[in-house]
Amino acid sequence: MPRPYLNLSANLSFLFCDVPFADRFARAARAGFRGVEYLFPYAYDGQDLRHRLREQRLLQVLYNLPAGDWEGGERGIACLPGREAEFREGVEQGIDYAMTLGCRQLNCLAGIAPADVAEAEIRATFKANLRHAAQRLAANGIRLLIEPINSRVDIPGFWLDTPAKALALLSEMGEANLWLQYDIYHAQIMEGDLARTIEANLGRIAHFQLADNPGRHEPGSGEINYPFLFALLGRLGYKGWLGCEYRPA
């Protein structure tokens, strides 16, 4: 049986939070990580982040496109009608940072569905924004990912909340540069059936994130059988990254 291929990336928005953000790169490298990811780079100077990556011999694996007023409670703007110009500006900002940091995949957060807008309009807005972003990123050698986030525990009202919904959207759009980010923690809360879903759709999954459930703590702290899933990824030949996006217990 092939050994599990564990290419683990440290999510610096969740790990090593006892030190300032700028110091987490060194902490990740000392812990043995070869790659890092985090929510957003935009509050920091791109050249400084690039220096820290090179200094610690780390790869920038992933971050999100700008997601609106995060401190004000927004969790993405891609599905929000009327925010298209802001979204497109964010795409260009995301690309600028990616070129500086050598990042080759960006995640797009759909956002919380507005209560006063029809489902069809929300869906159409999201699709149009994704198509624009996918093509702009492709022109710069960057993959565009979409991430289902559970709407039961972490972000009530989040529009793209199940892998099934995301996979249906990928099939419907047929966009070559549009991929699934499969967060095992979120998927377990909303759908379960992790192994079959992963095996059936691995060709459309560009990145995994992991945490256990309940609590969003480290693997082994909850109900998810991570040794089984890691072995499965080994058998399937997955060679991408697994982002450690958990809160240490």
Side-chain angles (χ1 to χ4, degrees):
M1 179 183 297
R3 296 183 63 186
Y5 184 89
L6 299 182
N7 210 11
L8 299 176
S9 170
N11 191 306
L12 302 185
S13 298
F14 284 73
L15 302 181
F16 313 114
C17 292
D18 57 319
V19 298
F21 180 77
D23 297 333
R24 297 174 197 172
F25 294 83
R27 288 281 295 275
R30 287 201 299 271
F33 290 100
R34 297 191 306 110
V36 295
E37 56 191 75
Y38 35 76
L39 290 175
F40 309 106
Y42 311 111
Y44 307 96
D45 179 75
Q47 292 297 332
D48 180 66
L49 295 178
R50 178 179 180 177
H51 169 75
R52 293 180 187 281
L53 290 166
R54 291 187 170 187
E55 183 180 50
Q56 302 300 329
R57 298 183 180 179
L58 292 167
L59 294 176
Q60 182 67 56
V61 173
L62 178 80
Y63 55 84
N64 297 313
L65 290 173
D69 183 5
W70 193 265
E71 297 301 322
E74 289 188 324
R75 292 296 180 264
I77 60 173
C79 78
L80 306 184
R83 304 283 290 277
E84 291 87 351
E86 181 183 349
F87 177 82
R88 292 188 176 208
E89 290 176 3
V91 169
E92 299 308 313
Q93 187 179 22
I95 290 171
D96 287 345
Y97 269 83
M99 302 309 288
T100 298
L101 302 178
C103 187
R104 289 294 171 259
Q105 52 186 17
L106 301 182
N107 183 51
C108 176
L109 295 172
I112 297 171
D116 57 346
V117 179
E119 171 73 10
E121 186 177 358
I122 294 172
R123 186 179 186 87
T125 299
F126 189 49
K127 288 174 61 178
N129 280 331
L130 288 182
R131 200 172 299 282
H132 170 81
Q135 294 172 6
R136 284 293 299 130
L137 267 60
N140 290 276
I142 305 166
R143 283 179 167 181
L144 177 65
L145 283 57
I146 54 173
E147 178 188 10
I149 297 177
N150 83 80
S151 57
R152 289 181 52 207
V153 178
D154 289 76
I155 308 182
F158 195 82
W159 186 76
L160 189 69
D161 58 353
T162 68
K165 190 172 185 177
L167 288 163
L169 196 68
L170 293 181
S171 296
E172 181 181 332
M173 292 186 63
E175 186 67 48
N177 191 38
L178 187 59
W179 305 80
L180 178 65
Q181 176 174 302
Y182 192 88
D183 187 304
I184 295 169
Y185 161 77
H186 292 305
Q188 172 68 1
I189 291 174
M190 296 301 294
E191 290 183 348
D193 204 19
L194 303 171
R196 270 190 288 259
T197 302
I198 291 170
E199 187 167 9
N201 298 285
L202 189 62
R204 294 192 281 183
I205 298 173
H207 187 69
F208 285 90
Q209 289 181 329
L210 58 86
D212 218 326
N213 182 62
R216 204 172 187 176
H217 300 310
E218 60 266 29
S221 63
E223 66 185 1
I224 301 175
N225 188 343
Y226 271 103
F228 176 84
L229 292 179
F230 292 153
L232 173 67
L233 290 174
R235 291 197 304 274
L236 296 176
Y238 177 68
K239 299 297 183 183
W241 292 90
L242 295 94
C244 295
E245 193 180 67
Y246 59 80
R247 301 183 183 95

